[in-house]
Amino acid sequence: MTSAESTAIFTRSWSLYDLITEHNYMFHQEIYAGVGRLLSLREDAGRYCLLDLGCGNARYLAPYLRQSPPALYEGVDLSEAALIEACGYLADLPGSTVTLTHGDLLEAVEATGKTWDVIFTGFAVHHLSSDDKARFFQAVGGCLAENGWLILVDVVREENQSRKDYLDGYLQCMRDNWSKIPPGQLEEACTHVHDHDYPEYFSTLQEMAAAAGLQASRIVNQYGQHQTLLFARSALPDI
């Protein structure tokens, strides 16, 4: 299964994912505030280049990009509707060149000819198969600057937790707690998670990253299964 196929539900109906994030069921507010703090630690504000893979409408990242603006921002997403919205959210980034591309995140990172100081991806990599995740890390390792960071926000399984046990718990949480999502849309989202979510252990992601030359890694924050992970070639910032 390709990453394009695995994200078909949100490509067809971006409004569903936007509704989920609106009610903060996946801790977007807390997570992106943490991403903002990470970006503020960089010493190259106004000069760094950021590639956002699976950018969606960039609604939650944009406020922190205004605080720590990149020289170049490129967002890639499969949803044309989300990219249209992203134009508005990213319209006033001070001093930044903004490019938005309709496409697959894995194909985009493998094909990029640029060197990136920050590669960011939010709730997207878990849709990839294990082999494609390894390809993703290899591609990141090939285009990340020497002092660059990969900031990966995603769902992560507990060590030794089976995918079935992960899904059972996550789907139960959705049905118990996502009360403001209309029942039909909630079941659509549950079907998507059941059929297309393949989260890894943090240790597995560490191994993939190390094989691609990213030897340093850290869990920056964690809200249930939702984690912010930071990868670099060597040194990580004090947080």
Side-chain angles (χ1 to χ4, degrees):
M1 178 178 296
T2 68
S3 56
E5 291 169 336
S6 71
T7 54
I9 181 177
F10 293 140
T11 303
R12 293 194 307 269
S13 182
W14 167 253
S15 61
L16 172 55
Y17 184 71
D18 208 29
L19 180 62
I20 292 168
T21 63
E22 174 70 26
H23 294 295
N24 204 37
Y25 290 132
M26 295 169 65
F27 301 95
H28 279 65
Q29 294 174 17
E30 296 86 350
I31 285 170
Y32 279 83
V35 171
R37 287 191 291 273
L38 278 178
L39 293 178
S40 73
L41 296 176
R42 291 196 63 87
E43 298 178 354
D44 53 1
R47 296 180 285 111
Y48 72 98
C49 298
L50 188 149
L51 176 62
D52 187 352
L53 297 167
C55 64
N57 63 9
R59 173 183 180 181
Y60 293 95
L61 187 60
Y64 301 105
L65 294 178
R66 292 188 195 98
Q67 295 174 13
S68 303
L72 172 65
Y73 170 94
E74 181 173 343
V76 179
D77 203 88
L78 284 167
S79 171
E80 291 182 328
L83 291 173
I84 290 170
E85 293 182 14
C87 289
Y89 286 113
L90 297 167
D92 57 351
L93 288 188
S96 300
T97 299
V98 174
T99 302
L100 296 172
T101 302
H102 179 239
D104 174 85
L105 72 87
L106 182 56
E107 293 174 0
V109 71
E110 289 185 325
T112 185
K114 300 183 180 72
T115 298
W116 299 96
D117 301 297
V118 177
I119 296 176
F120 175 80
T121 181
F123 294 113
V125 171
H126 69 276
H127 292 134
L128 302 177
S129 68
S130 292
D131 286 347
D132 282 351
K133 291 188 187 81
R135 283 175 56 193
F136 168 81
F137 277 102
Q138 288 294 325
V140 169
C143 67
L144 195 65
E146 186 62 31
N147 295 317
W149 298 346
L150 167 63
I151 304 173
L152 194 157
V153 171
D154 220 333
V155 286
V156 179
R157 275 189 287 157
E158 297 177 7
E159 297 295 320
N160 301 315
Q161 182 183 39
S162 69
R163 178 174 180 266
K164 180 182 183 302
D165 287 346
Y166 166 86
L167 289 176
D168 287 347
Y170 200 93
L171 293 172
Q172 190 64 51
C173 177
M174 291 172 69
R175 292 183 172 116
D176 288 348
N177 298 315
W178 294 19
S179 58
K180 295 182 180 179
I181 308 300
Q185 289 181 296
L186 178 59
E187 285 310 306
E188 186 181 6
C190 287
T191 297
H192 166 80
V193 169
H194 181 274
D195 292 350
H196 300 304
D197 281 21
Y198 292 88
E200 304 286 351
Y201 309 135
F202 176 52
S203 61
T204 301
L205 298 174
Q206 285 181 301
E207 291 170 3
M208 292 178 178
L214 307 180
Q215 302 294 334
S217 59
R218 178 181 299 164
I219 299 174
V220 176
N221 57 44
Q222 179 173 355
Y223 301 91
Q225 302 92 335
H226 315 89
Q227 298 187 12
T228 301
L229 310 178
L230 181 63
F231 299 89
R233 297 193 189 279
S234 54
L236 289 172
D238 294 329
I239 302 173

